Amino acid sequence: MNKIKFPLVVVGSQWGDEGKGKVVDILAKEADYVVRFNGGNNAGHTIVLNGEKFPLSLLPSGVLQGKKLFISQGVVIDPAVLLREIDFFLKRKMKVDLMIDPRVHVVMPYHKMLDAATELWKGKKATGSLKLGIGYCYEDKNNRFGIRVEDLIDPDSLAEKVKMYLPLKKLQITKVFGQPADLYETQIVKEYARYGTLLKKYVGDVSETIQNALNSHAELVSASDFRNRSRNKFGMTKGSKKILFEGAHGTFLDAVFGTYPYTTAVYTISGSVFPYVGIAPQRIYSMGIVKAYTTRVGNGPFPTELLNSTGDEIRKNGNEFGTVSKRPRRCGWLDLVLVRTAARLSGFDYLTLTKLDVLSKLKKIKVCTHYILYNKKIRELPAGMKDFAKCKPVYVELRGWNRDISASKELKNLPQEARKYIKFIEKELQIPFRFVFVGPEREQTIKI
Ligand code: GDP
Ligand code: IMO
Ligand code: MG
């Protein structure tokens, strides 16, 4: 296998659900620390181990490898969901070695109500939000109206903030949106204080801890005898911590560079790791996760969408139903305009191709190489979303392989047509694949 360098950030290159959970699980074997740095429990990362499914929405996907786990300030937590996930592993006598940054914001019940009310208000233009309160939690964070983990674990501070914020939130839900708001201050304070008591032992400064772990590497790099030190296969000097940053969502769900407003509420591109963890800018390698076709949950333009039996077949074979919401995912051909744009935004050093097995039964496979916009060929997403809605995809058609590949262990075992598909993508993007997935299990991985 070719070398993969750390520190490494894993980023979805499409609209989410690319298979980041499995990638992080595999890479975590080599890492010391796994840091989840953005999003909330609207993310759903599924790892499959010996036939058993582990759906994670807040715990970093390094948990199954027993690694040191971190939730940094860029994440928002629903404490009940996080506690459920922790409990799930503790009950199975598995280690949960977790640190949560005190600056992390807490999703409150009124955030969920506001999410649902806003979707109703938007009507046909609804985002397709999971209504888990994520957008509103980030809104309060940015507007300095939020409750952080440091408040959650301090009953006085929690009570003071709930008392200050709740009346306004109730007015907003009832008077602005005309929706019911059965929210009671004492009940909320009691419930969330209990969560705080349970989570207190995990709270620590993630920013400082990760920066220090990265500094130990920097010191070695600047040491005069650096060149003489032994290096392991991951390109790190002995003694430094290998840090893996787990991104949630996907590039086109990014709140700015995604397909606005049909996005989530945070940055999802690799550079966001610096402020979202609280570390200084430095060289961090990045891996883009590319599903062999495209899916999207929720609304918004989707140029390569297949609204036909091929789309249905991909959905069925790929089990493309939301991890969190169970909603059927919209399916379409691989769109290299999206992935190329994602590669530019996040500077991918490596790629992983996932779910190649799902295409096995198709006779012909199309790949979108560019769009036509105003009679011109474009190779990257336009900046304006009105233009994006007008883009027409242009395809190259490749032959399918019509053979089960789910037991393939090496590239050379794959049918020629499947290898051609991989090579075609690699050539278009000029970035090397490090893994190709041919099934959900750890072993169903071709290492390159
Ligand atoms: P994430 O949000 O990017 O972590 O992806 P999800 O977990 O939401 O969705 C990916 C789904 O595909 C999960 O159920 C995985 O178990 C599954 N999966 C991952 N890689 C493969 C693969 O190569 N083939 C198949 N058939 N399933 C895969
Ligand atoms: P992972 O990490 C797929 C989508 C939602 C919705 C929009 C806004 O599993 O890849 P929100 O709840 O943030 O208000 O929803 O963003 N969305 C995702 N779709 N995978 C995800 O995460 C997603 N996270 C958010 O479906 O359209
Ligand atoms: Mg997912």
Side-chain angles (χ1 to χ4, degrees), residues 16-18 20 42-46 323 329:
D17 305 324
E18 296 91 351
K20 299 176 291 293
N42 48 348
H45 302 168
T46 307
T323 313
R329 294 175 183 150

Side-chain angles (χ1 to χ4, degrees), residues 7 9 31 67 91 122 178 234 241 316 337 339 379 385 387:
V9 53
K67 293 302 161 95
K91 276 202 183 112
K122 286 183 174 175
F234 280 86
K241 295 276 181 245
K316 185 165 142 277
V337 177
V339 185
R379 289 169 60 78
M385 289 300 105
D387 284 342

Side-chain angles (χ1 to χ4, degrees), residues 43-309:
H45 302 168
T46 307
I47 304 167
V48 182
L49 198 58
N50 304 322
E52 194 178 356
K53 276 191 178 178
F54 295 87
L56 302 166
S57 62
L58 285 168
L59 270 184
S61 301
V63 62
L64 284 155
Q65 302 279 12
K67 293 302 161 95
K68 219 171 173 23
L69 310 173
F70 296 84
I71 296 180
S72 75
Q73 75 82 14
V75 179
V76 293
I77 63 160
D78 183 327
V81 174
L82 179 59
L83 283 163
R84 249 198 327 270
E85 287 187 10
I86 294 173
D87 224 41
F88 176 90
F89 289 99
L90 294 183
K91 276 202 183 112
R92 286 155 187 253
K93 308 256 176 293
M94 288 165 83
K95 186 167 98 176
V96 181
D97 186 357
L98 174 69
M99 185 190 282
I100 310 168
D101 198 282
R103 305 168 185 93
V104 163
H105 276 249
V106 180
V107 180
M108 300 301 288
Y110 46 77
H111 291 140
K112 298 178 210 178
M113 290 180 177
L114 285 165
D115 236 2
T118 306
E119 286 289 87
L120 269 178
W121 181 266
K122 286 183 174 175
K124 271 201 225 141
K125 300 255 176 188
T127 308
S129 169
L130 288 145
K131 301 174 196 159
L132 298 171
I134 310 303
Y136 272 97
C137 186
Y138 281 112
E139 179 178 307
D140 279 347
K141 176 185 180 181
N142 293 330
N143 204 21
R144 300 141 300 164
F145 211 68
I147 293 176
R148 312 209 295 185
V149 163
E150 64 170 327
D151 306 311
L152 192 71
I153 61 173
D154 172 349
D156 291 342
S157 176
L158 177 68
E160 188 193 321
K161 294 208 166 162
V162 173
K163 190 178 167 60
M164 176 161 62
Y165 301 154
L166 189 63
L168 186 67
K169 297 293 174 186
K170 281 178 81 162
L171 281 175
Q172 198 180 355
I173 297 164
T174 54
K175 304 280 186 221
V176 178
F177 288 106
Q179 297 296 322
D182 293 331
L183 297 164
Y184 306 97
E185 187 187 317
T186 41
Q187 198 180 320
I188 293 175
V189 172
K190 196 171 157 214
E191 182 185 342
Y192 280 71
R194 191 174 69 82
Y195 297 146
T197 310
L198 295 169
L199 287 172
K200 195 168 185 169
K201 63 171 180 267
Y202 298 110
V203 179
D205 192 335
V206 173
S207 158
E208 191 182 15
T209 309
I210 299 300
Q211 183 68 72
N212 286 343
L214 288 162
N215 283 350
S216 69
H217 175 54
E219 274 162 28
L220 286 168
V221 168
S222 61
S224 55
D225 62 347
F226 170 66
R227 253 175 260 115
N228 300 326
R229 285 179 192 266
S230 62
R231 309 189 105 220
N232 63 25
K233 68 175 175 153
F234 280 86
M236 299 286 289
T237 312
K238 259 190 189 165
S240 57
K241 295 276 181 245
K242 282 184 238 154
I243 300 174
L244 180 59
F245 297 99
E246 175 177 7
H249 321 301
T251 301
F252 298 95
L253 291 170
D254 184 284
V256 177
F257 297 99
T259 48
Y260 188 88
Y262 301 100
T263 61
T264 190
V266 279
Y267 287 111
T268 61
I269 58 177
S270 68
S272 66
V273 80
F274 301 115
Y276 281 167
V277 179
I279 51 172
Q282 56 205 280
R283 177 66 164 117
I284 290 183
Y285 296 89
S286 78
M287 179 179 275
I289 316 308
V290 185
K291 183 145 51 177
Y293 47 93
T294 311
T295 61
R296 139 160 244 193
V297 199
N299 303 327
F302 181 172
T304 65
E305 184 167 20
L306 286 162
L307 295 164
N308 57 19
S309 58

